[in-house]
Amino acid sequence: MELANRLNRLPPYLFVEINQKIAELRARGEDIISFAIGDPDLPTPAHIIEHMCRAAQDPANHRYPETAGLPELRQAIAEWYERRFRVTLNPAKEVLPLIGSKEGIGHIALCFIEPSDLALVPDPGYPPFFMGTILAGGKSYFMPLKEENDFLPDFKAIPAGVADKAKLMWLNYPNNPTSAIAGLDFFEKAVHFAQQHDLAICHDAPYTEVAFDGYKPPSFLQTAGAKKIGVEFHSLSKTYHMTGWRIGMVVGNAGMIDALFRVKSNLDSGIPQAIQHAAMEALRGSQQHIAESNTILQRRRDKLLKALDEIGLKARIPKATFYIWAKIPQGYTSMDFTKKLLDESGIAVTPGTGYGKEGEGYIRLSLTISDDRLEQGMNRLLAWHRRSK
Ligand SMILES: Cc1ncc(COP(=O)(O)O)c(C=O)c1O
């Protein structure tokens, strides 16, 4: 048996070593507190589940769904974008539901990238941006996200030859893993840059509803000209605590959406319809839980930042996302520091280098951990710090 060479181009999964270590420690009976997973701990709101259960009883929803999703779902997504961002979308041409946004993020590379083509990808960044490029046979040019630039890419630093050759640019704000935010002024620069170099933009925005201190993140599509050159990926995962149900969407440029539809219609048969009905209820029903869960996350954010500060780990105060991107002490690599923390305190975090080489010097901590475990985790961190002084 001979596997395709493209598999050899996939880089080793950096979290494997840490995950193995966690599994070994747990097998030995150790209690590991994990700040490593970005998956809401709060349940999907009850009214959404009730709707899904009712839809699951209907035989009409037992059959193959369509790749394009139910027309009512596309309409509900368009209405949500209009209500939330004042962005008007044609539900037939500018909206496509996805089996979780990760699925569409991975597949869209197939629409643009030929072997040896280039995509501009943020570093650090969500790994599927460059994994999709690799699977399509292309290469990534990494745009460093530096703290001194507020973790925004510096378009002027990208050589013109690279920008002209690239087909696609990935952006993601509010950002995973840095939790940085971007305003419309930044998106305007991005649109201008894309127009200059004939690039398509894929903006990934699953965290626009996870925001604090009264901040309301914008949509990339609010920018003039954005829809002419780009799309925005969004998701019900983080907003409605629906990571396990697998439903997201891509909206914007009709040509890009049609291209992705053509790929997907040959690979998948859409999202189970009971879940599409649940998504309609999520988008159209009460939005009350969003403010409630942001209040909980903000309280956790403030507690954890205080504990991190006490042990000498500096981090910016996130205005959005449920991640803290903390600087580690000098003299350690992200991986060494992550292992040390795990060995000596039973606390699991994510090493920054899991998101790219610019993540060196950082760790990511997620706030999606129950209040009790957060409290225990912080006490352990403080005790560990006292012990190691
Ligand atoms: C930046 C970013 N994009 C996309 C996703 C994928 O979300 P979904 O559950 O919709 O596939 C995640 C999940 O962690 C993410 O952090």
Side-chain angles (χ1 to χ4, degrees):
M1 194 196 304
E2 194 181 323
L3 296 177
N5 201 26
R6 70 173 60 83
L7 289 173
N8 297 330
R9 288 198 292 270
L10 291 174
Y13 185 56
L14 246 150
F15 304 127
V16 166
E17 207 184 330
I18 289 294
N19 289 347
Q20 259 170 6
K21 222 171 168 19
I22 293 173
E24 275 164 30
L25 290 168
R26 283 192 170 139
R28 274 201 256 140
E30 303 250 355
D31 174 37
I32 305 299
I33 300 179
S34 178
F35 287 91
I37 299 159
D39 188 353
D41 59 306
L42 301 167
T44 310
H47 66 104
I48 300 174
I49 300 290
E50 280 156 22
H51 214 82
M52 190 182 329
C53 291
R54 272 202 301 279
Q57 304 280 352
D58 182 353
N61 296 325
H62 298 176
R63 312 190 68 187
Y64 280 123
E66 299 272 355
T67 306
L70 291 165
E72 308 93 281
L73 173 60
R74 294 202 305 271
Q75 179 70 37
I77 292 170
E79 285 167 13
W80 186 84
Y81 254 82
E82 181 76 54
R83 262 197 317 277
R84 171 62 179 87
F85 300 114
R86 299 275 162 256
V87 166
T88 305
L89 298 165
N90 176 337
K93 294 191 166 150
E94 295 175 338
V95 175
L96 181 61
L98 300 169
I99 313 168
S101 62
K102 184 179 183 183
E103 175 265 304
I105 289 169
H107 281 140
I108 202 162
L110 296 175
C111 304
F112 286 92
I113 303 292
E114 298 274 5
S116 83
D117 273 352
L118 216 51
L120 305 181
V121 176
D123 177 3
Y126 180 57
F129 300 155
F130 65 88
M131 297 293 184
T133 307
I134 293 174
L135 290 172
K139 292 206 172 82
S140 294
Y141 175 89
F142 290 103
M143 304 181 288
L145 305 187
K146 302 267 191 202
E147 185 150 5
E148 62 264 31
N149 296 331
D150 298 324
F151 300 109
L152 298 169
D154 177 5
F155 298 130
K156 288 198 286 299
I158 301 171
V162 169
D164 285 338
K165 189 164 179 271
K167 298 277 184 70
L168 201 62
M169 176 163 73
W170 282 100
L171 297 171
N172 161 226
Y173 293 97
N175 183 262
N176 175 15
T178 67
S179 73
I181 54 173
L184 290 175
D185 52 338
F186 170 76
F187 290 143
E188 275 163 28
K189 280 187 209 151
V191 169
H192 181 67
F193 181 72
Q195 284 165 341
Q196 270 180 323
H197 299 284
D198 193 21
L199 281 168
I201 293 184
C202 289
H203 182 243
D204 184 25
Y207 296 100
T208 62
E209 308 315 293
V210 183
F212 314 118
D213 308 320
Y215 174 63
K216 278 247 174 220
S219 160
F220 164 69
L221 294 178
Q222 286 171 249
T223 319
K227 217 201 273 181
K228 287 211 175 83
I229 49 94
V231 289
E232 182 159 270
F233 288 86
H234 213 301
S235 176
L236 279 84
S237 288
K238 320 288 173 171
T239 311
Y240 300 102
H241 313 156
M242 286 176 70
T243 49
W245 305 113
R246 310 310 303 134
I247 186 156
M249 62 272 208
V250 58
V251 299
N253 184 274
M256 291 174 71
I257 296 225
D258 180 56
L260 184 55
F261 171 74
R262 280 160 59 200
V263 168
K264 275 172 59 60
S265 59
N266 286 292
L267 293 176
D268 71 61
S269 300
I271 304 151
Q273 279 188 183
I275 292 173
Q276 296 192 47
H277 282 282
M280 284 184 246
E281 172 62 19
L283 295 166
R284 287 182 166 147
S286 165
Q287 306 291 305
Q288 200 188 330
H289 77 280
I290 298 179
E292 289 167 3
S293 85
N294 285 345
T295 304
I296 294 170
L297 289 167
Q298 185 172 324
R299 195 176 57 230
R300 292 180 188 168
R301 174 198 74 173
D302 294 340
K303 278 185 174 181
L304 187 56
L305 281 172
K306 189 162 171 287
L308 291 175
D309 189 52
E310 281 175 38
I311 68 168
L313 298 188
K314 298 282 171 229
R316 291 190 174 193
I317 305 170
K319 285 262 174 246
T321 80
F322 36 60
Y323 302 116
I324 292 180
W325 187 238
K327 250 193 170 131
I328 58 169
Q330 289 206 329
Y332 293 99
T333 66
S334 296
M335 189 54 100
D336 289 345
F337 189 76
T338 302
K339 284 186 196 159
K340 185 176 164 68
L341 212 51
L342 188 57
D343 279 335
E344 296 177 6
S345 70
I347 300 284
V349 300
T350 321
T353 39
Y355 303 93
K357 79 174 174 41
E358 294 289 336
E360 187 54 274
Y362 293 90
I363 52 171
R364 193 196 76 172
L365 296 100
S366 171
L367 301 168
T368 54
I369 170 170
S370 73
D371 292 324
D372 285 355
R373 292 295 270 172
L374 181 93
E375 204 74 44
Q376 283 176 23
M378 288 183 333
N379 290 337
R380 270 199 211 176
L381 282 174
L382 295 170
W384 169 75
H385 182 62
R386 279 194 297 271
R387 276 200 311 276
S388 31
K389 267 209 272 196

